[in-house]
Structures are given as C-alpha cells and as structure tokens.
Amino acid sequence: MADEDFDVASLAAYLHLTPDQVRKMAEREKLPGRRVGGNWRFSPAEIHLWFETRIGASDDKELSEVERVFEQQSAHPSAGEFKISELLTADRIFIPLAARTRNSVLEQMCELSSFSGVLWEPAKMAEALRLREDLHPTALENGVALLHPRRPMSGIMAEPFLSLGITGSGIPFGGPRGCLTDLFFLIGSVSEPQHLRVLARLSRLLQVPDLLVQLRAAENPASGWQIIADFDNQLG
C-alpha cells in the first residue's frame, strides 16, 4: 500500500469501521494518531504495529474477524479462505534449527529459506528482521516467535511464504518475563493486508490446543508440515 497517511475516512474504510468509531478511538488514545491542522492523521506503519499488537492479544473470534477484514484487501493469497499449510512447505521447515543466539536464528532462517527459491536476498531480510526485533521483540509467551520485517519486502522474494525453524531447546529471544523461545516462524509477505491476514490466521492456529506440543515432538520436516496441515484444517 502507499506510504501516505490515512485520514479518518480512509482509515475507517481500511479497518471496516465507521468514521465516527475511528474518531472516537483516536480521541480516547486507542488508535495511534495525531492532529494536523485540526484533522486526524494516521501513519500506516503505526497503524500496522497497533494491529499486530491487537492480534497478539486477541481470541479466536476476534482473530477470525481480522481475517475477514483483510480478506478482500489481500493481494495474495486470493480472496477467500486460505490455509497456513499452503504458504509453509516441508522444505521450509527446519528440524532441528541449529542456532543458539538471536542473530544466528535470524541468519539461518533466512539463509535456509533462500534454498527453496522464494527468498532472493537472505542477508537483506535478516538485517530487516534484526531492526524489527530491536524495535519490539516478536517472541510470545508460548515459546513462539513470529519473525517479520517492519514492512513487506516484495522486491526480495519470489512470492509470499512461511518458514518454520524448531530448535532443540529454548533460547533467549526477548520473550515476555524472560521466557525462552524454540519455535520460529518467518513470515514473508508482499503487502500489509496480506501480512496481517496471515498473522491473524497463524495466531489462530497457535491457539489450538496441543499444536505446539506436537510440533515440538515432530521428528522431521514432513511430520511437522502434516501436523500443521491437520490442525489448520480444523480451523475451517
């Protein structure tokens, strides 16, 4: 999407809210915005960071609504239902991921993903991931990190993709209250709406009981992919 700021009307259309709802949320500081000449303006980057934070704190019903909000705006996958298992292939599941530090996780996830042909410039992606992690860690309390750059980088990838790396044990990755991280999803998106839609779907999947337990017990990429596909199908 363009880099121009949203006004109240365009942000309302983007979020599928009414202009009055957007205005009230901004006035109550529930949306990141600023007044310019008496009118509200909203930075796309700040709105998407706000949306990511909201996604992380949402339940399944709210996440389903996020998916619907961005369904028609998403450039890929095409409008309609899609599944995480369509973006994540077995050759982009790394078990075990031989990394013991934050930087080595980022570098290996990008380098290994490039071997499948979807990521053309792994070093550039790794640097973008570092900048994003410095801004706000993507590690969750459940031991999962959702790696992604601040903005989609369509120019360095062949198509949208997901990768997954699972380390043999947890490592410090900036998780809440010092919790360790051992599952790393790399999200490669070509547009903001598509990224947020994938993030919402993936967050829903991670809330399904027993998924993480089974993934941590997966012995190889094929079994890891099958676990995700089976649970993904349950979401409907």
Side-chain angles (χ1 to χ4, degrees):
M1 63 172 284
D3 291 329
E4 291 82 4
D5 285 350
F6 292 108
D7 59 15
V8 168
S10 60
L11 183 58
Y14 187 70
L15 297 179
H16 290 205
L17 300 172
T18 67
D20 191 50
Q21 286 175 310
V22 168
R23 194 174 293 106
K24 287 181 178 178
M25 291 175 71
E27 290 171 350
R28 295 170 183 172
E29 299 184 351
K30 294 184 178 295
L31 271 176
R34 66 191 187 282
R35 285 189 181 275
V36 179
N39 298 315
W40 282 103
R41 307 295 294 181
F42 306 90
S43 162
E46 291 179 352
I47 289 298
H48 290 120
L49 183 58
W50 166 82
F51 219 115
E52 287 181 0
T53 303
R54 177 184 172 187
I55 286 172
S58 297
D59 58 22
D60 185 76
K61 181 179 179 180
E62 292 171 327
L63 291 169
S64 297
E65 181 59 29
V66 172
E67 282 193 79
R68 286 192 291 272
V69 165
F70 287 99
E71 183 174 297
Q72 297 303 321
Q73 300 178 42
S74 180
H76 184 91
S78 58
E81 183 182 349
F82 82 101
K83 291 183 169 60
I84 291 300
S85 51
E86 296 171 356
L87 293 177
L88 177 66
T89 55
D91 63 338
R92 290 196 298 275
I93 297 178
F94 317 120
I95 302 176
L97 180 68
R100 299 301 306 156
T101 65
R102 188 188 76 158
N103 283 342
S104 62
V105 166
L106 302 180
E107 292 167 0
Q108 290 186 34
M109 286 296 297
C110 293
E111 182 178 1
L112 293 171
S113 297
S114 72
F115 294 158
S116 68
V118 294
L119 181 60
W120 298 326
E121 298 186 52
K124 184 176 289 188
M125 175 64 86
E127 178 59 24
L129 296 180
R130 271 191 288 270
L131 293 174
R132 175 61 178 83
E133 293 296 328
D134 289 342
L135 176 68
H136 190 281
T138 62
L140 306 175
E141 196 167 6
N142 57 7
V144 178
L146 305 178
L147 311 175
H148 59 275
R150 290 187 64 183
R151 302 294 298 274
M153 302 177 70
S154 58
I156 66 170
M157 63 186 72
E159 60 186 27
F161 72 92
L162 281 170
S163 298
L164 168 63
I166 304 177
T167 56
S169 59
I171 65 175
F173 208 79
R177 291 180 288 280
C179 66
L180 301 180
T181 305
D182 61 346
L183 280 82
F184 301 88
F185 284 91
L186 172 57
I187 305 173
S189 302
V190 298
S191 72
E192 294 280 10
Q194 187 253 339
H195 165 67
L196 292 171
R197 188 179 176 213
V198 170
L199 189 61
R201 178 77 181 188
L202 183 55
S203 296
R204 286 185 66 201
L205 184 62
L206 295 175
Q207 292 182 5
V208 178
D210 296 330
L211 170 68
L212 297 182
V213 172
Q214 292 193 31
L215 274 181
R216 288 182 170 112
E219 296 182 352
N220 53 61
S223 62
W225 183 89
Q226 192 61 58
I227 290 166
I228 289 175
D230 290 344
F231 279 89
D232 206 7
N233 288 332
Q234 295 178 23
L235 290 182

